[in-house]
Amino acid sequence: MRTYHCFWLLFWAGQPHQSFLTPLSKRTSGFPEKEKVLVLSGNSRQDLHRSKRSWMWNQFFLLEEYTGTDYQYVGKLHSDQDKGDGSLKYILSGDGAGDLFIINENTGDIQATKRLDREEKPVYILRAQAINRRTGRPVEPESEFIIKIHDINDNEPMFTKDVYNASIPEMSDVGTFVVQVTATDADDPTYGNSAKVVYSILQGQPYFSVESETGIIKTALLNMDRENREQYQVVIQAKDMGGQMGGLSGTTTVNITLTDVNDNPPRFPQSTYQFRTPESMPPDSPVGRIKANDADVDENAEVEYSITEGDGYDMFGITTDKNTQEGIITVKKALDFENKNLYILKVEATNTHVDPRFLYLGPFKDSATVRIQVEDVDEPPVFSRPAYIMEVKEDVPINSVIGTVTAQDPDAAKNPVKYSVDRHTDMDRVFNINSGNGSIFTSKPLDRETLLWHNITVIAAEINNPKQSSRVPVYIKVLDVNDNAPEFAMFYETFVCENAKAEQLIQTLSAVDKDDSYNGHQFSFSLAPEAASSSNFTLQDNRDNTAGIFTRKIRYNRHEMSTYFLPVVISDNDYPIQSSTETVTIRVCACDHRGKMLSCNAEALIHPTGLSTGALVAILLCIIILLVTVVLFAALRRQRKKEPLIISKEDIRDNIVSYNDEGGGEEDTQAFDIGTLRNPEAIDDNKLRRDIVPETLFMPRRTAAVRDNTDVRDFINQRLKENDIDPAAPPYDSLATYAYEGNGSVAESLSSLESVTTDGDQDYDYLSDWGPRFKKLADMYGTMDSDKDS
């Protein structure tokens, strides 16, 4: 007969849930009537076998958030091997064993030591075992069981956002989607209704509604107008337990903004506008501003203005200010109060972006009437022309009238006008003007050849108000008259060879005239009457404004006549005919057989041939050779002067002097007389130094003799000073020996021992008492005393 050992697991659950081994048919409150036992039969030699079941037989429940003062009782372990004698020991291991869950090793009772939170950990897996205390061996196989924390509704729903922001177009239909809000509950969604959330609207009705299960917010009112109200604040509540009483809840705020649509046309606040503008307003100047108000915003409020009709359609224009959406009325043409002083315009304002959905509301435009009154301004006089061009002959007499300018006051008063010439444009005062009638006349002679055009400015000003003035340019052209005689185009100076032949052309002449000729100049050339018959030359007119000078005889002699002056008469064909006499200078020169000039008496005709290129190169080479010779000579002299100051085997190039003379020993005391140091008063002033040859013989300065009792320092300082100021001293360092011992010390002897020549007797026995350092001295003087005694 097989023997089965049973391992019992007994669990105790607190209110309101019951620990159970098998599925519960109904929920009970309170404690069970008796403990339920889990029988785990097993054999140490055979494996356990278990039939498949559809429920978890080893899963147990424990209530979360236990609020009792004692430990929460979980259950009890028990083995059929337990005889109650304390020989078995129960051990618990797994999740939280020993910390969160503890077991009484003798009785097998399991308790929870802390409050359990399902949201932190919903399931704990533990293992139970019973062992023999004496042998430490298990008496039952290790069993695994699960403790599942029973959920309670301890978490309220939480929205994913604290504040939601949404926007929808105004005038939206009912049921238009706005935004969806979402709330989550940390409780167990699989157990009860603790995590079942239901949405409701607390604030925002009747404009919006929310779907209870999805949290979708929709519009609930038709034709919500942004112009009436733009912002809405909706409060949504999420409640668990399916919205039942006792459920927990959370709220969130939804800010809803209505966006603008073009559902409002522009409207002028008034039907008529009136403006005033002076007639002097220049074109493109603003006259005034008008504005059509539009309740919409942004691009829906953009307005375009236009002038649709009116008598000032071509005189005024209108543009839109993009920043202020105002219509700016501007002047297109110059205004004239005298011609028209009132303009009536019709201005229309139209939306640029029209929404077809709202065309049923009416046309999205509006119109207004604009009256513009032109004000009279005291205007300056106006000339009949913008500019005047006048012509005058250069030979007109002074004070001749050349033209007239006219200006009138455009105002209704027709104030009289006076004229004047701007002297900045006529600095020479060539012209003047009649201040009353504007006639311009000459005040100085004119010369076309000097200045062809005169550009002056005439000023017209009101007599009653001189500040009102205007200006006009007057261009005066000086017309030519034949008042200049023709003349040579250049100064002619030519030559004729002594061996010239008769009828030989020696020079061709041409002429110019400062005057203008409409048909071109036609000059005629001829010799002056005084030279026509007696001249040695003839003149031939070529009829093309040129003439040629020809020789009349065969030979010329420069020694008899070196220079000929030939007068030539030049005439033009204009009216009145002008002529002039020009002189051609002809010099007689010696020429070769080819007619090339060799020499003339006149220096002006001598053309120096100059130096040839070869001669210039030769001169340049001579100069270069001379410069090189001078440089070489200077370099040789400089090298010859540079001799070393020090002749030595090694040219160290320093101030090193070699003394190779051994000298005369002690007998050579002429240079350094040591006895002088020993006896300062024995210095020989007449002795000269033998080691150097002074360039200039200066007599050594006589210094006062040093007294016998002079201190050594004073003696040395005195000698140093004498050497510094000695003009015969060498320009380099010299060795001077000062062996002066000085006089005896003025201080007396510091020794406590007097001289042996002292007449008085001394007792030196006390030296023995001074220690071993004075022992020898004591023996020396003590012996002397003993010798005297003996």
Side-chain angles (χ1 to χ4, degrees):
M1 180 178 179
R2 291 184 177 178
T3 303
Y4 293 93
H5 304 283
C6 295
F7 186 28
W8 301 79
L9 291 174
L10 295 89
F11 293 91
W12 186 270
Q15 292 181 350
H17 298 285
Q18 177 184 7
S19 299
F20 53 87
L21 299 178
T22 59
L24 299 179
S25 58
K26 64 178 181 178
R27 184 181 297 272
T28 60
S29 62
F31 296 97
E33 296 180 357
K34 66 176 182 177
E35 297 178 343
K36 301 294 183 181
V37 179
L38 172 65
V39 180
L40 298 178
S41 60
N43 194 307
S44 59
R45 294 173 295 178
Q46 295 181 356
D47 296 333
L48 295 176
H49 296 278
R50 184 182 61 189
S51 60
K52 182 177 180 181
R53 300 173 183 175
S54 60
W55 50 275
M56 293 294 294
W57 62 272
N58 60 346
Q59 177 171 296
F60 306 97
F61 295 89
L62 186 64
L63 190 66
E64 72 167 334
E65 300 294 345
Y66 174 70
T67 59
T69 57
D70 297 333
Y71 289 164
Q72 186 177 6
Y73 186 76
V74 178
K76 184 181 182 65
L77 296 179
H78 185 72
S79 174
D80 58 355
Q81 299 294 324
D82 189 358
K83 305 300 184 182
D85 54 359
S87 61
L88 295 183
K89 178 181 179 181
Y90 296 96
I91 298 174
L92 188 66
S93 62
D95 295 340
D99 179 20
L100 185 59
F101 300 103
I102 60 175
I103 188 172
N104 190 321
E105 61 181 11
N106 295 321
T107 63
D109 293 327
I110 302 173
Q111 292 177 314
T113 61
K114 300 179 181 179
R115 294 175 59 183
L116 302 179
D117 189 358
R118 188 201 65 83
E119 285 71 36
E120 292 182 2
K121 189 176 178 63
V123 175
Y124 295 88
I125 300 175
L126 299 172
R127 292 179 296 277
Q129 192 174 28
I131 62 174
N132 191 302
R133 287 181 179 272
R134 185 175 59 82
T135 62
R137 294 182 179 179
V139 297
E140 297 286 352
E142 187 179 61
S143 298
E144 182 179 271
F145 61 95
I146 296 173
I147 298 177
K148 186 174 182 181
I149 307 302
H150 241 178
D151 181 50
I152 63 174
N153 189 18
D154 58 343
N155 292 279
E156 68 275 7
M158 299 292 292
F159 283 93
T160 56
K161 294 181 181 179
D162 294 334
V163 177
Y164 289 83
N165 294 308
S167 61
I168 58 169
E170 62 175 332
M171 310 298 288
S172 297
D173 296 333
V174 175
T176 301
F177 174 83
V178 179
V179 69
Q180 182 176 13
V181 296
T182 303
T184 59
D185 196 317
D187 294 326
D188 189 1
T190 63
Y191 181 77
N193 294 325
S194 298
K196 186 177 181 181
V197 178
V198 174
Y199 300 95
S200 61
I201 184 168
L202 300 182
Q203 176 183 325
Q205 295 174 336
Y207 306 102
F208 300 94
S209 64
V210 62
E211 294 183 356
S212 60
E213 295 183 357
T214 62
I216 295 176
I217 300 174
K218 298 180 179 180
T219 57
L221 189 64
L222 185 65
N223 296 332
M224 286 189 293
D225 192 359
R226 184 200 65 84
E227 286 72 34
N228 293 331
R229 182 176 178 181
E230 183 177 5
Q231 299 287 340
Y232 294 87
Q233 190 176 70
V234 179
V235 178
I236 302 298
Q237 182 189 61
K239 189 174 184 180
D240 59 10
M241 298 296 294
Q244 298 177 2
M245 294 292 294
L248 302 178
S249 64
T251 60
T252 187
T253 301
V254 182
N255 295 323
I256 301 175
T257 304
L258 297 183
T259 59
D260 185 58
V261 297
N262 192 8
D263 59 340
N264 293 280
R267 289 288 181 265
F268 283 106
Q270 58 194 63
S271 60
T272 303
Y273 294 86
Q274 291 188 358
F275 297 102
R276 290 179 175 270
T277 180
E279 62 176 337
S280 60
M281 187 69 70
D284 297 329
S285 299
V287 174
R289 289 172 175 254
I290 60 175
K291 183 178 182 180
N293 298 324
D294 194 324
D296 297 322
V297 294
D298 299 333
E299 67 175 15
N300 297 321
E302 293 181 359
V303 179
E304 287 186 353
Y305 297 90
S306 60
I307 299 176
T308 57
E309 58 184 62
D311 54 1
Y313 183 81
D314 58 341
M315 299 296 295
F316 298 93
I318 188 169
T319 58
T320 303
D321 188 337
K322 297 300 182 182
N323 295 325
T324 62
Q325 297 300 316
E326 292 178 316
I328 305 174
I329 300 174
T330 58
V331 178
K332 293 173 61 177
K333 295 181 180 180
L335 303 176
D336 189 358
F337 173 82
E338 288 71 25
N339 292 332
K340 188 175 180 61
N341 56 18
L342 178 63
Y343 294 91
I344 300 177
L345 308 175
K346 184 177 181 181
V347 178
E348 187 175 80
T350 307
N351 277 141
T352 57
H353 302 279
V354 178
D355 193 338
R357 297 178 299 171
F358 304 101
L359 290 178
Y360 67 92
L361 297 176
F364 281 79
K365 59 183 179 180
D366 195 12
S367 60
T369 301
V370 178
R371 297 169 60 90
I372 301 176
Q373 182 73 43
V374 180
E375 297 178 344
D376 187 22
V377 176
D378 189 6
E379 299 175 89
V382 178
F383 284 95
S384 59
R385 299 179 188 176
Y388 292 87
I389 299 177
M390 301 178 182
E391 294 181 349
V392 58
K393 290 186 177 182
E394 61 178 330
D395 61 346
V396 297
I398 298 175
N399 296 328
S400 298
V401 176
I402 61 175
T404 302
V405 296
T406 304
Q408 291 183 354
D409 184 9
D411 299 323
K414 300 297 180 181
N415 294 322
V417 176
K418 64 178 180 178
Y419 303 92
S420 63
V421 176
D422 187 355
R423 291 306 172 187
H424 293 90
T425 61
D426 186 21
M427 302 293 290
D428 297 331
R429 296 181 177 268
V430 179
F431 301 95
N432 212 331
I433 190 170
N434 189 310
S435 62
N437 58 19
S439 60
I440 300 173
F441 56 89
T442 61
S443 58
K444 287 184 179 181
L446 301 177
D447 187 6
R448 188 202 65 84
E449 288 71 34
T450 302
L451 185 61
L452 176 62
W453 284 92
H454 294 267
N455 302 327
I456 65 174
T457 299
V458 175
I459 303 173
E462 295 181 6
I463 296 178
N464 298 333
N465 186 10
K467 293 183 178 179
Q468 293 295 334
S469 62
S470 57
R471 297 166 176 263
V472 66
V474 178
Y475 306 104
I476 302 173
K477 182 180 181 181
V478 181
L479 301 179
D480 183 46
V481 295
N482 193 22
D483 58 347
N484 291 281
E487 57 188 11
F488 282 149
M490 58 180 294
F491 176 73
Y492 290 104
E493 185 176 15
T494 186
F495 71 94
V496 61
C497 294
E498 289 181 313
N499 55 356
K501 298 178 182 180
E503 303 298 329
Q504 181 178 349
L505 178 65
I506 62 173
Q507 183 66 51
T508 301
L509 306 177
S510 62
V512 293
D513 195 337
K514 294 180 180 178
D515 295 324
D516 282 337
S517 178
Y518 296 101
N519 299 322
H521 290 292
Q522 294 181 5
F523 303 125
S524 60
F525 300 86
S526 63
L527 291 176
E530 66 271 13
S533 59
S534 61
S535 176
N536 293 313
F537 302 91
T538 59
L539 180 68
Q540 180 181 346
D541 192 347
N542 299 326
R543 305 299 180 182
D544 58 354
N545 294 336
T546 64
I549 299 176
F550 294 87
T551 59
R552 175 175 284 184
K553 60 181 183 178
I554 299 177
R555 297 186 63 86
Y556 295 86
N557 190 344
R558 59 176 172 166
H559 300 289
E560 294 177 358
M561 180 67 73
S562 61
T563 305
Y564 294 92
F565 298 99
L566 186 64
V568 177
V569 178
I570 311 172
S571 302
D572 57 18
N573 292 326
D574 292 333
Y575 179 84
I577 296 175
Q578 299 288 340
S579 64
S580 65
T581 301
E582 301 288 334
T583 301
V584 179
T585 302
I586 304 173
R587 299 187 184 278
V588 180
C589 300
C591 302
D592 57 11
H593 65 283
R594 292 178 295 180
K596 184 177 182 182
M597 181 182 62
L598 297 179
S599 63
C600 296
N601 292 331
E603 294 296 328
L605 294 177
I606 296 176
H607 301 283
T609 57
L611 297 176
S612 64
T613 304
L616 291 175
V617 173
I619 294 173
L620 184 61
L621 289 176
C622 291
I623 294 174
I624 294 174
I625 293 173
L626 181 60
L627 290 176
V628 172
T629 304
V630 172
V631 171
L632 291 177
F633 181 74
L636 290 175
R637 285 184 62 96
R638 184 178 299 176
Q639 185 175 5
R640 189 174 298 172
K641 284 184 178 181
K642 290 184 178 179
E643 294 181 357
L645 296 176
I646 302 173
I647 301 175
S648 176
K649 295 180 180 179
E650 297 181 359
D651 189 4
I652 306 302
R653 300 295 180 184
D654 268 330
N655 293 332
I656 300 177
V657 181
S658 300
Y659 299 96
N660 296 327
D661 188 10
E662 296 182 354
E666 295 180 355
E667 297 178 356
D668 188 6
T669 60
Q670 185 71 21
F672 304 100
D673 191 358
I674 301 177
T676 302
L677 294 176
R678 300 181 185 277
N679 188 7
E681 296 180 355
I683 185 171
D684 188 1
D685 294 336
N686 296 326
K687 287 185 178 182
L688 296 177
R689 294 177 59 175
R690 299 185 303 169
D691 57 341
I692 63 171
V693 178
E695 296 181 2
T696 306
L697 295 177
F698 292 95
M699 294 303 294
R701 297 182 60 181
R702 181 78 175 180
T703 57
V706 182
R707 306 298 301 172
D708 293 342
N709 58 354
T710 302
D711 187 77
V712 175
R713 180 182 61 186
D714 295 337
F715 169 77
I716 294 176
N717 290 336
Q718 182 68 24
R719 289 297 180 264
L720 287 174
K721 184 176 181 182
E722 293 173 2
N723 284 311
D724 289 340
I725 64 178
D726 187 3
Y732 45 81
D733 293 338
S734 179
L735 179 64
T737 304
Y738 304 99
Y740 182 70
E741 295 181 356
N743 297 327
S745 176
V746 296
E748 297 181 357
S749 175
L750 300 178
S751 174
S752 61
L753 301 178
E754 297 182 356
S755 175
V756 295
T757 60
T758 305
D759 295 338
D761 295 335
Q762 293 290 335
D763 185 7
Y764 299 104
D765 292 339
Y766 61 87
L767 295 176
S768 302
D769 300 333
W770 285 10
R773 296 183 179 180
F774 297 91
K775 182 178 180 182
K776 187 174 181 179
L777 187 62
D779 294 342
M780 184 186 301
Y781 282 90
T783 304
M784 293 175 59
D785 293 339
S786 61
D787 291 340
K788 290 181 180 181
D789 296 339
S790 61

